[in-house]
Amino acid sequence: MCKTYNEYPDVLNVSDIQELLGIGRKQAYELVHSEQFHVIKVGKRIKVSKNILINWIEGGNNYALSK
């Protein structure tokens, strides 16, 4: 079942990203480790702001270039 952006929490985990983008687990982890956008590590957990991910999907600022 496809969800809209509004149905996802404000802070996403890797499984949310995987579902939202329709990609596999390995691809989702490769993406969050690619430095294409800002991620937060809480212990072993990886979190991403929904707004940051949506901005990246829509072609917003490239985080890797601004580092």
Side-chain angles (χ1 to χ4, degrees), residues 1-21:
M1 178 171 91
C2 293
K3 295 182 186 179
T4 65
Y5 289 145
N6 293 334
E7 295 178 273
Y8 286 94
D10 290 336
V11 179
L12 306 170
N13 58 36
V14 176
S15 63
D16 292 327
I17 294 169
Q18 178 182 343
E19 182 180 310
L20 198 147
L21 296 177

Side-chain angles (χ1 to χ4, degrees), residues 2 8 13 18 23 25-26 49 64-65:
C2 293
Y8 286 94
N13 58 36
Q18 178 182 343
I23 60 177
R25 184 172 184 235
K26 182 179 177 186
S49 165
L65 294 178

Side-chain angles (χ1 to χ4, degrees), residues 34-37 56 60-67:
S34 71
E35 298 185 351
Q36 293 294 309
F37 47 82
W56 176 80
N61 295 337
N62 188 332
Y63 176 73
L65 294 178
S66 65
K67 283 183 81 179

